[in-house]
Amino acid sequence: MGDDLMSKKKPSFPISKELDLYLSEYSRNIKIPIFYEDLLRFSGSIVVYDEDDNDTLWLRVFYNEFEREEIDYALKKVYSILISDGNDDILQYLNVDTIDFCTFGNSQPFRVKVRNILNDNFTYFYIKKADASRIYGLELEHMLSPYNLNYLVYKDTLIEEHIAGIPGDIFIKEHLPSLTEFQKSQIAKEFVKFNERCMIRLLGDMRSYNYVIVATPDFDHVVYKIRPIDFDQQSYEGRLKIYRPQFFKENNVMVDLVRSKLQKTSIGQYKIEERSIVAKRILNKLEQLRALLNCMESDHISKPEYVESLRGEIFNFTNDIKFKKAENMGEIVRSALDFIRRNYEDVNMKSLF
């Protein structure tokens, strides 16, 4: 499967009044001193190349001297709000090393590198034009995955903390071939679980460059996990395959790894494990999930023909009549999460007798 099943460009959806109130309720909506549009006023740029002289698709941007001083202060303030308590005391120890702009993809983000001048430690954060699809994706990832996401929204500007890891396409090309057979088996298992999690919560377009591999040393071995880093394609497209990473050609190496390293019974067991874990998270976050899904159901985040197509495909996949009754993407996501929750509760209730 390739780009022919994807829309050429997904539109950006504005933040509705209901979503804005939700973000305020859950401390995501915080006033910040700079907007996305402010960073668009750069006066020059150069291409950023990697260590092998390949174009990274990022531009390093520059501002005139007066504006740069004002922008640097605002960005350090944003960093303090995002990472700490917003206190100005730390600003004197921070330096904005670089500001990069990416024209590739839907969100066209700015990437800001902030360094602590006392110890040279640095981190990144991103400034993007706020898109309701992406915010729904971030919230669902925050609640239903093993990871907490740190982000802020102010009017039409979105601030995201950097998600550390090795980009999937680079990992597949440069790291995967040298792994041990045991490590490859672990990666295969994680890809099955990642594939299942994306499908359950309808996160689309997880091609290899839209997720990262996180390697964590643990006693005498390394634990590998897969994390998405792009949430623009949250429940927008009308084809179920788009929400299943296994069907993208960029992930063919991972799919082949699953086939060669895992038996069908193991694959089935890992899927069940992931559904159970997600079901537990649904139950733990039930009140907040309901509030988010209420926003999604009242929102316009896809096309009517995509809704009709997707609900039909998921009904054929699950035989759950609730999907046929779904009238928008919010209702489809609610039905999907409810399907997982009900199956989990049915199995666990039966186990009591």
Side-chain angles (χ1 to χ4, degrees):
M1 177 185 138
D3 292 340
D4 54 314
L5 291 183
M6 296 283 296
S7 299
K8 294 303 179 184
K9 185 172 177 62
K10 184 190 79 67
S12 179
F13 295 104
I15 297 175
S16 66
K17 180 180 179 181
E18 291 80 3
L19 181 55
D20 188 62
L21 289 171
Y22 169 91
L23 293 169
S24 296
E25 175 70 21
Y26 290 96
S27 302
R28 297 293 195 183
N29 203 340
I30 298 175
K31 186 175 181 179
I32 53 177
I34 194 168
F35 292 101
Y36 176 86
E37 284 76 10
D38 295 330
L39 293 178
L40 290 174
R41 300 197 306 265
F42 53 87
S43 57
S45 65
I46 59 172
V47 175
V48 178
Y49 296 96
D50 65 18
E51 57 185 16
D52 297 318
D53 288 329
N54 297 313
D55 187 346
T56 63
L57 303 178
W58 288 86
L59 299 174
R60 185 143 299 158
V61 298
F62 306 98
Y63 302 84
N64 66 52
E65 186 175 349
F66 172 75
E67 282 199 309
R68 179 63 195 240
E69 185 177 341
E70 184 180 349
I71 286 172
D72 275 12
Y73 178 83
L75 292 176
K76 288 189 285 187
K77 184 69 176 176
V78 168
Y79 173 87
S80 176
I81 296 170
L82 181 69
I83 303 299
S84 186
D85 60 359
N87 195 305
D88 286 354
D89 291 346
I90 69 169
L91 301 190
Q92 60 183 315
Y93 305 119
L94 302 177
N95 188 70
V96 177
D97 280 5
T98 58
I99 304 172
D100 298 333
F101 178 59
C102 183
T103 57
F104 177 74
N106 289 324
S107 60
Q108 297 191 335
F110 285 92
R111 179 178 63 194
V112 182
K113 180 181 178 182
V114 177
R115 178 172 53 89
N116 186 312
I117 62 176
L118 296 178
N119 52 34
D120 276 343
N121 285 332
F122 64 86
T123 189
Y124 297 95
F125 67 87
Y126 299 85
I127 299 181
K128 306 175 182 180
K129 192 169 182 61
D131 170 26
S133 296
R134 187 174 186 89
I135 291 170
Y136 288 126
L138 287 164
E139 277 295 282
L140 288 169
E141 178 71 9
H142 180 73
M143 287 187 272
L144 299 179
S145 82
Y147 313 105
N148 293 326
L149 297 185
N150 191 10
Y151 74 92
L152 300 172
V153 182
Y154 182 53
K155 295 186 178 179
D156 62 351
T157 296
L158 171 65
I159 311 292
E160 287 183 41
E161 189 176 19
H162 176 65
I163 297 175
I166 304 169
D169 53 341
I170 294 175
F171 183 88
I172 290 170
K173 180 182 178 182
E174 299 181 4
H175 298 267
L176 186 59
S178 63
L179 296 186
T180 66
E181 297 308 306
F182 170 76
Q183 289 171 328
K184 289 178 180 178
S185 294
Q186 189 193 137
I187 291 287
K189 171 186 175 181
E190 288 305 315
F191 187 78
V192 169
K193 295 168 80 71
F194 175 67
N195 188 78
E196 193 72 9
R197 192 161 66 245
C198 290
M199 182 182 66
I200 289 171
R201 42 74 57 97
L202 295 181
L203 176 61
D205 195 20
M206 280 299 107
R207 285 173 281 191
S208 55
Y209 49 76
N210 285 333
Y211 59 81
V212 294
I213 310 296
V214 182
T216 306
D218 183 32
F219 291 106
D220 58 347
H221 67 290
V222 177
V223 176
Y224 295 94
K225 299 291 182 181
I226 304 177
R227 294 189 63 178
I229 57 172
D230 192 328
F231 302 93
D232 288 335
Q233 290 287 345
Q234 173 61 50
S235 53
Y236 170 72
E237 297 280 357
R239 299 294 303 274
L240 183 56
K241 283 185 175 181
I242 289 168
Y243 304 103
R244 304 176 74 185
Q246 70 187 83
F247 288 106
F248 286 99
K249 66 180 185 298
E250 291 85 353
N251 294 326
N252 282 348
V253 171
M254 298 294 243
V255 174
D256 291 341
L257 200 64
V258 171
R259 288 174 179 157
S260 65
K261 293 296 179 184
L262 303 179
Q263 297 179 353
K264 286 187 176 181
T265 52
S266 295
I267 294 173
Q269 181 58 39
Y270 295 145
K271 288 181 178 180
I272 291 171
E273 286 180 11
E274 193 60 30
R275 290 173 200 163
S276 298
I277 291 171
V278 171
K280 291 175 184 176
R281 295 191 184 112
I282 291 171
L283 293 170
N284 287 334
K285 293 285 187 177
L286 207 51
E287 182 179 346
Q288 188 173 351
L289 268 173
R290 283 172 177 162
L292 182 70
L293 293 171
N294 288 341
C295 294
M296 290 186 77
E297 289 179 357
S298 65
D299 214 339
H300 172 73
I301 52 173
S302 187
K303 297 179 179 180
E305 59 267 31
Y306 290 175
V307 173
E308 183 178 358
S309 172
L310 186 60
R311 73 186 180 195
E313 288 195 23
I314 299 182
F315 170 73
N316 292 334
F317 187 72
T318 62
N319 291 318
D320 188 335
I321 195 65
K322 286 190 174 184
F323 288 103
K324 272 208 165 183
K325 299 177 180 178
E327 296 183 357
N328 54 54
M329 283 298 183
E331 291 185 11
I332 291 178
V333 174
R334 187 188 292 272
S335 297
L337 299 184
D338 190 52
F339 179 82
I340 296 296
R341 179 188 60 80
R342 282 187 285 112
N343 277 279
Y344 172 78
E345 289 180 331
D346 286 348
V347 169
N348 283 274
M349 286 299 292
K350 289 174 184 176
S351 68
L352 296 177
F353 299 98

